[in-house]
Amino acid sequence: MTASTTAPPMIRMASVQKHFGPLHVLKDIDLEVPKGQVVVVLGPSGSGKSTLCRAINRLEPVDSGVIEVDGRPIPQEGRELARLRAEVGMVFQSFNLFAHKTILENVMLAPVKVRRQPAAEVRKSALELLERVGITNQADKYPAQLSGGQQQRAAIARALAMRPKVMLFDEPTSALDPEMVQEVLDVMTGLAADGMTMLVVTHEMGFARKAASRVVFMSEGEIVEDSTPEAFFTAPKSTRAKDFLGKILTH
Amino acid sequence: MGVLTDNLPLFLGGFRTTVLLFAVAAVASLVFGTILAMLRVSPVPILRGLGTLYVTVVRNTPLTLVFLFFIFAYPLLEIVKLSYFTGAVVALSVYTSAFVCEVVRSGINTVPVGQAEAARALGLNFGQILGSVVLPQAIRAVAPPMMSTLIALLKNSTIAAGFSVAEAGAIRQVLSEKGENQLLALIWVAVGFILLVMVLTLVQRALEKRWSRAR
């Protein structure tokens, strides 16, 4: 771990607290994601893992604590925050593709509007991205005309179009029909293999085993375990993790 | 048919003024109403308050009163002199934009939160999110009620006849002075309005068809 002493981690959270009314959803969260790592966040629903993911680009403001991206604390709402968000890719459970724009326009929007890159150039790289996620032939369709799996791959391409330093995935396969999960996971596995720094909230144990550098297990707003996938799946330390794995792996 | 054919220039002139009055007021109301709707969803409380105040005051005032204000009261303020036609345009625009605002705002509320969230996550600012993501979808969602508002504007424009604007609503009076049959005159004016409204309805259908995929 000598590299981590020289370069700042891509994501650093320290003593992060967050309440939703009386509910304490993030309890004193400390987490570092070094450059190039793929961290998979597991946990039962309501454990705060989505909130943790959304806190990193401040879609969910936190009550207190430090959150840094690439060594810089995330700013307050405004121009600086928009600039930071442009460098952090995000993929949502419900895809959230812009419904009134074609797939190609979805991918092109942010580079043109935010980065002010010339449209012709953006179009070329957008088509390359669509090819990378395997939906070039859907470029001129509207989101509603695509399957869930295709929509989510388009959403990944849209996030990648900003050439982000890090990608956040908030349950990217939870809204998909089972037969479409794999095509999305394949794209994500490819990204991980290319060295993208990723934080992935998911229920896909197969993906965690195969692609994760680390597994973080959350329960009731706390990080309960932080270990290698190997160690987590074969020898979980906490009873909560054992319970969770028992429930998931028995059916 | 005689009433119409004998007085064709009168009818055409009246309806030309009606269409002009409608077109200018419609564009102004759409623009100003959309700005009001943006105020009403703004994160800044003062702007929200301004939008709400405008809608509350204007929407609860009878249109005739708005006309009376701009034709008779406003000149007393001695700011910029308005012709009767301009006064009518202003009165209709001020009034209709309150309704446009509420239609646009209801459209904004139909756009799922995830759309704006995805735009924020990509680094778009508030104006870009509204302009490129939320408003286009909001407008698509409210094509039918928006067209109803515009149809109401078209018909409301006949109030201008009472304020020295020679639009279609004034045709009857002229014909009455000429001793023509008023029942027939009014029927022909009504036919004219029905034709104009049908055009608007066709526009609405075309827009709905075009936007059906893309939302």
Side-chain angles (χ1 to χ4, degrees):
Chain A
M1 295 300 261
T2 45
S4 65
T5 54
T6 54
M10 188 55 81
I11 299 170
R12 188 171 86 89
M13 304 176 91
S15 317
V16 170
Q17 309 279 355
K18 164 89 182 170
H19 293 79
F20 281 131
L23 201 66
H24 200 170
V25 278
L26 293 180
K27 293 179 189 159
D28 205 21
I29 297 292
D30 293 309
L31 179 69
E32 287 194 5
V33 180
K35 288 192 175 85
Q37 270 203 0
V38 177
V39 172
V40 168
V41 183
L42 299 174
S45 49
S47 58
K49 54 194 194 302
S50 272
T51 310
L52 177 138
C53 183
R54 292 162 54 86
I56 294 166
N57 62 358
R58 211 169 185 276
L59 284 182
E60 212 69 81
V62 298
D63 301 338
S64 62
V66 177
I67 303 177
E68 288 174 0
V69 174
D70 203 14
R72 287 185 313 168
I74 55 171
Q76 296 293 305
E77 203 69 45
R79 195 172 299 171
E80 281 301 309
L81 181 61
R83 199 165 297 156
L84 174 128
R85 281 173 175 154
E87 295 178 346
V88 177
M90 179 140 196
V91 175
F92 299 86
Q93 181 175 351
S94 46
F95 329 134
N96 296 349
L97 288 172
F98 304 130
H100 63 303
K101 294 193 175 292
T102 65
I103 298 304
L104 185 63
E105 289 166 350
N106 263 275
V107 179
M108 288 175 63
L109 180 72
V112 171
K113 290 272 170 193
V114 178
R115 294 262 156 84
R116 313 234 172 248
Q117 291 171 298
E121 206 173 279
V122 172
R123 190 187 159 82
K124 193 165 159 277
S125 50
L127 284 169
E128 284 167 12
L129 282 169
L130 290 180
E131 192 177 346
R132 181 166 170 192
V133 300
I135 50 168
T136 315
N137 50 353
Q138 314 292 333
D140 295 321
K141 291 191 185 165
Y142 287 91
Q145 297 171 294
L146 268 61
S147 74
Q150 290 169 331
Q151 286 191 54
Q152 194 60 299
R153 286 187 279 156
I156 294 173
R158 178 178 69 176
L160 290 175
M162 293 299 277
R163 306 188 191 286
K165 295 174 179 170
V166 51
M167 288 280 287
L168 308 174
F169 292 84
D170 185 7
E171 304 208 26
T173 58
S174 300
L176 294 176
D177 291 335
E179 74 270 24
M180 292 168 186
V181 169
Q182 199 52 50
E183 63 190 55
V184 171
L185 292 180
D186 286 346
V187 170
M188 292 167 60
T189 311
L191 266 184
D194 288 348
M196 176 64 80
T197 310
M198 294 162 59
L199 184 126
V200 184
V201 174
T202 187
H203 293 288
E204 294 300 327
M205 302 301 146
F207 176 79
R209 275 212 173 91
K210 193 165 136 197
S213 337
R214 264 161 67 202
V215 168
V216 167
F217 175 72
M218 284 186 76
S219 175
E220 293 165 28
E222 290 174 299
I223 293 181
V224 181
E225 295 206 22
D226 184 345
S227 56
T228 63
E230 173 77 11
F232 179 75
F233 287 111
T234 53
K237 282 168 262 166
S238 64
T239 41
R240 280 191 275 187
K242 281 177 195 155
D243 278 358
F244 175 75
L245 287 173
K247 276 180 202 146
I248 289 208
L249 301 176
T250 46
H251 63 235
Chain B
M1 208 63 175
V3 176
L4 179 65
T5 46
D6 294 348
N7 301 286
L8 205 54
L10 175 68
F11 275 92
L12 288 180
F15 274 102
R16 191 167 52 226
T17 306
T18 293
V19 169
L20 195 62
L21 201 54
F22 166 77
V24 180
V27 171
S29 310
L30 287 174
V31 171
F32 190 48
T34 305
I35 293 172
L36 283 170
M38 287 166 76
L39 291 184
R40 290 206 69 180
V41 300
S42 145
V44 184
I46 299 171
L47 298 181
R48 269 206 310 275
L50 276 177
T52 310
L53 181 71
Y54 182 94
V55 170
T56 310
V57 170
V58 174
R59 203 165 57 145
N60 295 336
T61 308
L63 176 56
T64 318
L65 219 62
V66 179
F67 262 95
L68 286 168
F69 174 82
F70 281 104
I71 304 294
F72 297 118
Y74 170 83
L76 301 179
L77 300 173
E78 294 183 335
I79 306 170
V80 183
K81 269 202 158 192
L82 299 180
S83 67
Y84 286 120
F85 180 83
T86 315
V89 166
V90 171
L92 286 169
S93 306
V94 162
Y95 181 78
T96 308
S97 49
F99 292 87
V100 169
C101 164
E102 289 303 272
V103 171
V104 172
R105 192 170 66 96
S106 73
I108 289 174
N109 291 337
T110 67
V111 180
V113 187
Q115 295 284 310
E117 222 164 51
R120 282 161 76 200
L122 284 166
L124 276 73
N125 62 35
F126 183 76
Q128 292 170 327
I129 294 170
L130 265 182
S132 301
V133 176
V134 176
L135 278 180
Q137 294 188 53
I139 303 288
R140 281 163 164 77
V142 295
M146 186 64 85
M147 207 46 91
S148 300
T149 306
L150 292 182
I151 288 171
L153 166 64
L154 175 65
K155 297 190 294 185
N156 285 340
S157 70
T158 52
I159 291 186
F163 298 89
S164 308
V165 179
E167 40 81 14
I171 291 174
R172 182 209 61 84
Q173 201 189 342
V174 179
L175 291 180
S176 146
E177 283 159 10
K178 286 176 71 177
E180 294 272 14
N181 183 326
Q182 293 197 41
L183 174 65
L184 289 176
L186 275 180
I187 287 176
W188 283 117
V189 171
V191 168
F193 273 98
I194 289 170
L195 288 176
L196 287 180
V197 170
M198 275 169 70
V199 171
L200 290 181
T201 311
L202 288 177
V203 171
Q204 176 191 334
R205 273 205 210 129
L207 289 178
E208 278 186 78
K209 198 174 161 198
R210 186 169 150 198
W211 288 340
S212 61
R213 274 189 317 174
R215 43 176 296 229

